[in-house]
Amino acid sequence: MDLMYSSTRNDKIKMTASAAILKGLADDGGLFVPETIPSLDISMEELAEMDYQETAYAVMSRFFTDFTEEELKNCIRRAYDSKFDTEEIVPMTSADNAHYLELFHGPTIAFKDMALSILPHLLITSAKKNNVKNDIVILTATSGDTGKAALAGFAGVEGTKIIVFYPKNGVSPIQEKQMVTQKGDNTFVVGINGNFDQAQTGVKKMFNDSALSAELDAAGFQFSSANSINIGRLIPQVAYYVYAYAKLFKKGVVAKDEKINVVVPTGNFGNILAAFYAKNMGLPIAKLICASNENKVLVDFFHTGAYDKNRDFILTSSPSMDILISSNLERLIYRIAGNDAEKNKKLMEALASEGRYEITEEMRAQLSGFYGNYASEEETAAAIKKIYEDCGYIIDTHTAVAASVFHKYQTETKDQTKTIIASTASPFKFTRSVMTAINPEYDSMDDFELADELSKIGHVKIPRAIEEIRNAPVLHDVVCEVEEMPEVVKEFLKVK
């Protein structure tokens, strides 16, 4: 029997994994979730001997049951290859009393590569399986990393086009340069005069615009999503938590069935939700530690049970987490509501109309496995400096948020459980913030001089992703207002 997927806002909708991947977002605005989370019925001894590709197949084959073994293995083989700068795909570094899971060794040096390297292949395979004749138009909003990772994944992929919207003044200079220099006739990058939440809301509106969908269909196109709202983005992320635990077990760092804690810096909640899914598959995880920057809407939610986006939007040095609407949290809300789509729908309607909702005490009781805290800008910089000075290890701003929260958790709880920290981006992606945290005098250098200096003091090679954009020409220079987004899409697709 195939594992079926339903919408978080209408559990009467049932579809296969490939159909859910293809659709991205349900017609009712809900997110697709598996009807049950499958168990990881493989021994830890077996998992310990697997390489990354084999682990990815072990995890994904249990979720994507309508893919044949050959189809799924082909997607995995094409995703996790020489694009990554290490055969391990996700190596781990032990530093500062934790194990840093380095998720940034892919083509765009951020954790988004882990899922966005495979999503194009899952989508194209899904299109064939569902007899789709239209070209797939990937429409996505980015707070910095998803955009470039999606562009790199889809560039040149036949039968697809990709349009990325980003907040014009809300990403790092390196992130912007990575996007606007992207090659490929099927790629289009647009800056918006607004923040990430406005970009994401604009994209969701286009997904739910039936008149626009009909117009595109007539022209031979249909939308799909590369944001973490796509279940084909979320499930591949589950694999690296399983892989990390298995490697710690193999090295003798953890005993069989010994529980670990996992710290994840997150804004949109997808990366920590993947760890939650891994835990529910049977991975021995004790606490899931949710680390936020000063946009601490998630932390406040875990502390109070109220999700309230009615607050100032703060631009920080960890821009991929500058988010006030954490889309993937809806999947967790649906689950703690007892998979009650109606109850979840009402909460999401309250978020849309009033900007807030509050969960019941019964629902809150199910969140005991989570801990939430945040790091200020000063604490983030201090974490970078301290870990460099103590260990010689250089981390980026998002990972530093996680490191800071990890120490707050340990101080507060005295819990000494072995811990994995999801290191979500290379420090080379945020050179100015990272280097000035180590020494303010570095601020006089330009971004590429900073990259050279970071390489020198950290004894790490400059990633290919940075070298490629050093002198690359700008190929995308369109900027628009939020309300102009649909017209910009139609213009690119030549839909009149």
Side-chain angles (χ1 to χ4, degrees), residues 229-476:
I229 53 176
N230 192 316
I231 197 72
R233 229 331 262 284
L234 178 65
I235 298 308
Q237 295 177 256
V238 178
Y240 48 71
Y241 293 109
V242 175
Y243 179 79
Y245 186 94
K247 289 297 159 272
L248 289 180
F249 171 73
K250 185 176 184 178
K251 289 175 187 168
V253 175
V254 295
K256 189 172 165 62
D257 300 327
E258 181 181 350
K259 289 194 172 181
I260 58 162
N261 291 338
V262 177
V263 189
V264 187
T266 187
N268 218 7
F269 206 73
N271 202 4
I272 196 166
L273 184 72
F276 175 76
Y277 274 27
K279 178 178 180 174
N280 282 274
M281 288 186 87
L283 201 68
I285 294 174
K287 277 284 183 205
L288 291 161
I289 299 170
C290 175
S292 296
N293 62 20
E294 289 178 0
N295 292 293
K296 58 186 183 70
V297 64
L298 284 167
V299 176
D300 292 345
F301 167 72
F302 283 116
H303 286 182
T304 67
Y307 190 96
D308 190 346
K309 76 176 183 74
N310 301 313
R311 60 183 72 204
D312 290 337
F313 182 91
I314 302 164
L315 291 173
T316 73
S317 60
S318 46
S320 300
M321 296 155 67
D322 290 348
I323 291 170
L324 294 181
I325 304 172
S326 305
S327 294
N328 264 294
L329 185 63
E330 180 171 345
R331 287 185 164 114
L332 180 66
I333 297 298
Y334 172 77
R335 186 175 172 86
I336 63 173
N339 296 347
D340 185 330
E342 201 49 47
K343 193 188 269 189
N344 174 69
K345 186 181 176 187
K346 283 187 178 130
L347 292 170
M348 295 309 131
E349 282 169 351
L351 181 64
S353 61
E354 297 152 38
R356 78 181 300 278
Y357 61 80
E358 192 158 353
I359 62 173
T360 64
E361 282 304 316
E362 293 78 13
M363 290 167 76
R364 278 192 77 183
Q366 295 180 63
L367 297 177
S368 59
F370 286 90
Y371 167 91
N373 213 326
Y374 80 103
S376 68
E377 286 292 88
E378 294 73 25
E379 289 168 333
T380 302
I384 293 169
K385 185 177 172 70
K386 184 178 187 305
I387 291 169
Y388 171 66
E389 288 178 348
D390 292 354
C391 313
Y393 185 53
I394 302 179
I395 56 174
D396 91 294
T397 46
H398 302 73
T399 309
V401 166
S404 178
V405 167
F406 166 58
H407 284 294
K408 286 183 181 184
Y409 172 77
Q410 282 202 319
T411 303
E412 200 179 297
T413 64
K414 307 293 184 280
D415 181 4
Q416 292 299 309
T417 301
K418 286 158 192 166
T419 300
I420 287 173
I421 293 179
S423 184
T424 53
S426 164
F428 286 96
K429 203 148 194 169
F430 304 93
T431 47
R432 187 161 305 281
S433 298
V434 168
M435 294 299 281
T436 53
I438 291 169
N439 186 339
E441 288 177 15
Y442 283 130
D443 204 27
S444 60
M445 295 182 176
D446 74 30
D447 287 302
F448 291 103
E449 286 171 337
L450 286 169
D452 294 331
E453 186 66 14
L454 195 162
S455 172
K456 193 167 118 189
I457 69 166
H459 308 290
V460 280
K461 195 177 167 194
I462 295 176
R464 195 164 59 216
I466 298 296
E467 293 293 10
E468 280 172 357
I469 62 168
R470 203 182 274 264
N471 300 305
V474 170
L475 301 173
H476 305 271

Side-chain angles (χ1 to χ4, degrees), residues 134-172:
N134 286 345
D135 275 10
I136 307 292
V137 178
I138 299 300
L139 193 61
T140 199
T142 185
S143 54
D145 287 337
T146 287
K148 175 59 184 180
L151 288 160
F154 282 93
V157 174
E158 205 176 320
T160 70
K161 293 191 185 299
I162 175 162
I163 304 168
V164 171
F165 291 96
Y166 75 96
K168 180 63 186 151
N169 298 306
V171 299
S172 81

Side-chain angles (χ1 to χ4, degrees), residues 171-210:
V171 299
S172 81
I174 295 283
Q175 286 176 313
E176 182 171 48
K177 187 96 193 269
Q178 280 188 301
M179 287 189 282
V180 298
T181 57
Q182 177 65 52
K183 295 174 185 168
D185 291 343
N186 66 331
T187 67
F188 189 43
V189 180
V190 185
I192 67 150
N193 292 318
N195 61 38
F196 168 72
D197 285 330
Q198 289 171 304
Q200 181 156 266
T201 300
V203 164
K204 279 188 171 179
K205 274 186 183 163
M206 283 189 272
F207 269 108
N208 294 326
D209 185 336
S210 52

Side-chain angles (χ1 to χ4, degrees), residues 33-278:
V33 286
E35 289 198 289
T36 57
I37 293 178
S39 66
L40 191 63
D41 49 358
I42 308 175
S43 74
M44 193 48 66
E45 288 79 5
E46 285 175 274
L47 284 164
E49 298 308 316
M50 291 183 182
D51 63 17
Y52 191 79
Q53 292 83 349
E54 290 165 337
T55 308
Y57 179 76
V59 172
M60 287 187 233
S61 60
R62 278 153 179 75
F63 282 96
F64 300 154
T65 54
D66 67 322
F67 283 73
T68 67
E69 181 178 350
E70 187 186 354
E71 284 169 341
L72 192 50
K73 283 186 171 173
N74 180 51
C75 290
I76 290 166
R77 190 171 58 249
R78 294 176 73 176
Y80 306 115
D81 58 10
S82 60
K83 292 191 286 294
F84 287 79
D85 66 16
T86 165
E87 271 187 45
E88 270 185 287
I89 309 297
V90 285
M92 257 185 296
T93 296
S94 297
D96 194 40
N97 200 30
H99 304 280
Y100 286 80
L101 180 62
E102 295 183 350
L103 301 171
F104 54 75
H105 288 272
T108 75
I109 56 176
F111 84 97
K112 309 288 171 81
D113 288 325
M114 297 307 302
L116 285 164
S117 290
I118 193 167
L119 183 62
H121 305 295
L122 292 173
L123 264 171
I124 295 303
T125 306
S126 296
K128 284 178 188 156
K129 291 173 81 67
N130 290 274
N131 302 310
V132 169
K133 301 291 183 275
N134 286 345
D135 275 10
I136 307 292
V137 178
I138 299 300
L139 193 61
T140 199
T142 185
S143 54
D145 287 337
T146 287
K148 175 59 184 180
L151 288 160
F154 282 93
V157 174
E158 205 176 320
T160 70
K161 293 191 185 299
I162 175 162
I163 304 168
V164 171
F165 291 96
Y166 75 96
K168 180 63 186 151
N169 298 306
V171 299
S172 81
I174 295 283
Q175 286 176 313
E176 182 171 48
K177 187 96 193 269
Q178 280 188 301
M179 287 189 282
V180 298
T181 57
Q182 177 65 52
K183 295 174 185 168
D185 291 343
N186 66 331
T187 67
F188 189 43
V189 180
V190 185
I192 67 150
N193 292 318
N195 61 38
F196 168 72
D197 285 330
Q198 289 171 304
Q200 181 156 266
T201 300
V203 164
K204 279 188 171 179
K205 274 186 183 163
M206 283 189 272
F207 269 108
N208 294 326
D209 185 336
S210 52
L212 180 59
S213 294
E215 238 179 304
L216 290 180
D217 187 48
F221 299 112
Q222 68 186 61
F223 283 144
S224 191
S225 164
N227 277 74
S228 57
I229 53 176
N230 192 316
I231 197 72
R233 229 331 262 284
L234 178 65
I235 298 308
Q237 295 177 256
V238 178
Y240 48 71
Y241 293 109
V242 175
Y243 179 79
Y245 186 94
K247 289 297 159 272
L248 289 180
F249 171 73
K250 185 176 184 178
K251 289 175 187 168
V253 175
V254 295
K256 189 172 165 62
D257 300 327
E258 181 181 350
K259 289 194 172 181
I260 58 162
N261 291 338
V262 177
V263 189
V264 187
T266 187
N268 218 7
F269 206 73
N271 202 4
I272 196 166
L273 184 72
F276 175 76
Y277 274 27

